[in-house]
Amino acid sequence: MLRVALTSQSPLSALRVAAKHTLPTISTTLHKKMSTKYPTAAEITAMFKPFESGDYAKSFANVVDDVDWTVMGTQPLGGHYNNLQDFQKKTFARLGAIMPKGLNMTVRQAFGGSDSPWATLELVAQGGLKFDNTYAWVIKFNEERKIVLVRAYLDSLLVKQALEQNEEGPVEDHRAPITLTP
């Protein structure tokens, strides 16, 4: 409630003074109650928290089925994947199969989101082998707050070494095509 004290000021001056002190509080309160268009950094971190225990399904529920996912670099998992199922089968399942404790990833930090569809997620992977890989995922959200595009950057040599040392047969390198459009 806006109260104006009777003073020697004109009523207009008194309203200006009162508004100056009241409106920032109203604005801050309204902003806190309003949801952002895209997930915040804290919400993105929470989305991927289940990775720590290997609960990929819970995190991948935030990704559209026809996601555009590119694993950058020249390495066995490198390439462009046109859907979530293909990405999971050829990357997470493959790495998880050679890890004694499965592939567990911990969110180090997330940036962006909120009013921008773009965010960056930094993850650290461990799985029982000497596999302390760090990932940076550049992520794009749609207006339904689902992930529609990912570009994953990682230590390609570490991935190749882990697969060569733990899979039977030759390990082939692949490379994602480089494009200039987002």
Side-chain angles (χ1 to χ4, degrees):
M1 177 176 190
L2 184 63
R3 288 187 260 175
V4 180
L6 294 174
T7 65
S8 60
Q9 294 178 313
S10 73
L12 185 56
S13 294
L15 280 172
R16 284 188 186 134
V17 170
K20 180 179 175 185
H21 297 289
T22 306
L23 290 179
T25 304
I26 293 169
S27 175
T28 302
T29 303
L30 288 175
H31 181 67
K32 286 181 183 176
K33 290 181 180 178
M34 291 176 56
S35 175
T36 59
K37 187 171 184 177
Y38 303 102
T40 65
E43 289 171 321
I44 295 166
T45 298
M47 282 179 190
F48 289 94
K49 180 86 172 145
F51 271 14
E52 292 178 12
S53 62
D55 187 359
Y56 308 124
K58 192 169 187 176
S59 293
F60 284 134
N62 297 293
V63 180
V64 297
D65 290 336
D66 62 343
V67 65
D68 181 345
W69 201 304
T70 304
V71 178
M72 305 304 290
T74 303
Q75 43 108 351
L77 306 181
H80 182 245
Y81 303 93
N82 292 312
N83 62 67
L84 183 58
Q85 185 177 9
D86 194 34
F87 167 75
Q88 289 174 311
K89 178 182 170 189
K90 293 180 180 175
T91 62
F92 270 70
R94 189 171 176 190
L95 274 179
I98 65 168
M99 301 290 168
K101 298 177 184 175
L103 181 62
N104 298 330
M105 301 175 82
T106 302
V107 176
R108 183 178 285 164
Q109 49 192 329
F111 304 95
S114 296
D115 295 326
S116 170
W118 293 96
T120 302
L121 181 67
E122 185 181 19
L123 301 136
V124 177
Q126 297 173 327
L129 296 176
K130 184 170 178 6
F131 190 78
D132 53 349
N133 206 340
T134 301
Y135 296 75
W137 290 358
V138 177
I139 301 169
K140 184 177 183 185
F141 288 91
N142 65 15
E143 291 185 3
E144 286 79 43
R145 300 168 67 96
K146 297 285 187 181
I147 296 170
V148 295
L149 183 145
V150 179
R151 287 207 183 90
Y153 298 87
L154 56 131
D155 184 339
S156 297
L157 182 59
L158 189 60
V159 169
K160 183 175 181 169
Q161 289 172 340
L163 291 171
E164 285 177 339
Q165 294 169 8
N166 295 284
E167 283 187 342
E168 297 290 325
V171 175
E172 294 183 30
D173 283 337
H174 304 280
R175 181 169 170 84
I178 304 299
T179 61
L180 298 176
T181 56

